[in-house]
Structures are given as C-alpha cells and as structure tokens.
C-alpha cells in the first residue's frame, strides 16, 4: 500500500522547528556576508573573433592568378588545412603559449609595470585558500632547504623539451584558469575570455592573447609556404648561376672561334648553345615557380575580423553580496529542515538498530 504524503503534518513539523530555521537563516546570512566580503572582485573581458581560415581555393587565389598569368600549373598542394579552427582553444591553453604570455608587461599603477607572472603573485585570494594551502606551503618550504631549484633559460627551452620550475608551473596553472577560449564549430566564431582582479589588466591581457593567437596561427599556416619559398629562392639562385655560366661559356667559345668554319667547331658551338638554352628553360621555370610560391605565402595568411574588441569592464563579473547571502541562507535552511524532518529520524533509527544488535 502506497504511503500518502501528509502535507499538513509536514507543515506542522516545520512550524515546530521555526526557531531552528530562524537560527539557520541567521547563520547563513552571517556566513554569506563573510564569504562575499572575503572574495576579491573579478573583472572579465571577452573578445570575439571571426577568423577566415584559408581553404582550398583552387585557381581563384593569388597563387592561382600568378600561375595563370605565368602560364604554369599550380606547384603547391591544395589540400585540407592542417590547422583546424577548433584548435584555437587548445593553442590558448598550451604551455608554450602561456609561458610566452607570462613575460608580458602589465600596468599595476600609473608609473609602474611588471610582468604578468609577478602580477598574478600579487593578486589577493580568499583567506580560506591560505588555510587550505598552509600545509603544502610548509612542506614546500622544508623541501626548498634541501633541494636547489634548477633555473632553465630560454636557450635551454629551444634545445630540449620544456622544463618548468614549480613557480612557472603554478603561474601557467593560474593562467589556464583565468584565460579561456571557446570556438563555435558551426560559425567558427572564437571567443577569448580573460578574468583578472584589475579591469585594465584584464583588457590588456585579453588584447595581447588575441594578438598572440593571431600571430601563432599565421606562423603555423604560412610555415610550409615559407619553407617552399625559401627552397625555391635557393634553387632559383643556383639555376641562375648555372645559366650565367652556360651563357658565358657559349659567348667565349663563339668569340674565340668566330672566323673558323670547321665542322667540329660548329658542333661544339651547337652543343654549348643547347646547354645555354636548356639552362635558361630550367632557370625560367624555377623563376615562375618562385613567383607563385611568394603569392602562396600571402594567400595562406588568415584574416581575422574582431567582432567585439577588448573593452575595460566597469562592473565586476563575480557574484554580488546578495547572491552569496541568498545561497547560504537557502543551504542552511534547507539543510536544517531536511535534517529535522528526515535525517534526524533516520539517524535515531540507525542508532537503535546498532544498540539492539549489540
């Protein structure tokens, strides 16, 4: 037989514990005020980008026009992009990206600038964070007395895998929390969000993140084309030199045998002329390919349209005092009612069963 819920009985029980509810609401109010006061203000800046990533353009791009004008086929592969637009979020959260960003200068006052990593160390935290982290800080302090921290220079980073000191790892961990990027796969709109305790710092960092992201994507997308262009530059100089040598050999031979009509002379002259013509054809083809490659570098650069730029926020983005108060009042009142109506009776029943089993 199903049990029916007696709403009037529940209401009478709630009225019976109204003093406890008042006390719980008062405690929730007090704790909500303490938490709200202890929580530093945070300011969030969001920048919206609409990147146009280079896709397969066939003969419609700059490289295609250059190839058509020069009368050559496209020398570059027109395949799918190796860099997908969804990787923007991964780039922003990557260790090399954040490590380079931590060295940027941010204004902490009118006449003072410091690195972003130094600024993060000076940001205030709620008092309970210090209480929770106190044991770990004591352990790290004891370890530092016996272990020397290795200093890794920029040249070391270029020669091997990245090694981070504990301080650098903590800085990157903080930046991953404060800097995020979201990509809408349907529209390819990228939203970069930066949260800091100073509104101006948040806006400056957001603008720097967007610029560095654009720079990283441009370098990545044009690296293959630049390598092709550098190779063709080298090949162009070699083929040009070969043509000049063949041209000079032909000219010198003709000048020195101008009055001779021997068949052997004519044969050697014809051979030198063919070598010169062949060297010129190769030189001309490489020159055309080089022009196409130079156009390809420009074509591969993505275009970024900043839909919403970095704007210094006027209001804090974290929850206000009223929200904290309402949340804690609700939690304490709900917990008190639940304990007195359900939890207390179940606990007493469990205690009685344990006593009887003994």
């Amino acid at each position: 037989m199903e049990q029916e819920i007696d709403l009037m009985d529940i209401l009478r029980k709630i009225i019976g514990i109204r003093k406890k509810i008042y006390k719980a609401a008062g405690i929730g109010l007090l704790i909500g005020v303490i938490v709200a006061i202890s929580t530093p203000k945070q300011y969030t800046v969001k920048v919206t980008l609409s990147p146009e990533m280079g896709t397969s353009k066939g003969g419609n791009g700059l490289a295609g026009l250059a190839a058509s004008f020069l009368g050559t086929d496209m020398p570059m592969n027109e395949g799918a992009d190796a860099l997908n637009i969804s990787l923007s979020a991964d780039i922003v959260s990557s260790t090399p990206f954040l490590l380079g960003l931590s060295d940027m200068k941010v204004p902490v006052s009118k006449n003072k600038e410091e690195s972003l990593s130094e600024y993060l160390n000076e940001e205030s935290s709620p008092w309970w964070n210090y209480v929770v982290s106190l044991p770990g800080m004591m352990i790290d302090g004891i370890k530092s007395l016996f272990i020397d921290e290795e200093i890794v220079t920029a040249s070391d980073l270029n020669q091997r895998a990245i090694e981070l000191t504990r301080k650098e790892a903590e800085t990157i961990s903080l930046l991953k929390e404060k800097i995020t990027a979201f990509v809408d796969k349907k529209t390819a709109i990228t939203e970069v969000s930066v949260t800091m305790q100073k509104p101006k710092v948040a806006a400056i960092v957001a603008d720097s993140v967007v610029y560095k992201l654009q720079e990283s994507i441009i370098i990545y997308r044009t690296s293959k084309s630049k390598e092709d262009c550098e190779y063709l530059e080298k090949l162009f100089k070699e083929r040009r030199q070969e043509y000049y040598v063949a041209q000079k050999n032909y000219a010198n031979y003709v000048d020195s045998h101008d009055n001779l009509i021997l068949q052997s002379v004519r044969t050697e002259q014809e051979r030198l002329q063919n070598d010169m013509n062949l060297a010129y054809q190769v030189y001309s083809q490489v020159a055309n390919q080089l022009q196409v490659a130079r156009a390809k570098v420009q074509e591969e650069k993505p275009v970024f349209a900043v839909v919403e730029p970095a704007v210094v926020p006027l209001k804090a983005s974290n929850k206000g005092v009223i929200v904290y108060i309402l949340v804690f009042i609700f939690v304490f009142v709900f917990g008190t009612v639940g304990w007195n109506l359900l939890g207390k009776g179940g606990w007493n029943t469990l205690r009685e069963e344990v006593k009887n089993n003994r």
Side-chain angles (χ1 to χ4, degrees), residues 258-314:
D258 187 28
N259 297 323
L260 299 178
I261 57 174
L262 298 175
Q263 184 64 32
S264 59
V265 173
R266 294 176 60 184
T267 301
E268 182 65 16
Q269 180 178 339
E270 185 177 352
R271 185 185 68 79
L272 291 173
Q273 185 176 11
N274 290 337
D275 289 344
M276 181 185 66
N277 292 336
L278 180 60
Y280 176 76
Q281 290 177 4
V282 175
Y283 163 62
S284 178
Q285 289 177 0
V286 173
N288 291 340
Q289 291 179 355
L290 178 59
Q291 296 302 319
V292 175
R294 287 171 177 170
K296 184 70 175 177
V297 173
Q298 181 64 31
E299 181 184 334
E300 285 294 328
K301 288 183 180 180
V303 179
F304 296 88
V306 180
V307 180
E308 180 64 34
V311 180
V312 179
L314 301 177

Side-chain angles (χ1 to χ4, degrees), residues 24 50 69 71 85 95 141 144 150 177 189 272 279-280 313 322 329 345-346:
S50 178
F69 178 77
I85 183 60
T95 298
S144 65
E150 181 184 358
E177 296 176 1
I189 296 294
L272 291 173
Y280 176 76
I322 301 299
I329 288 177

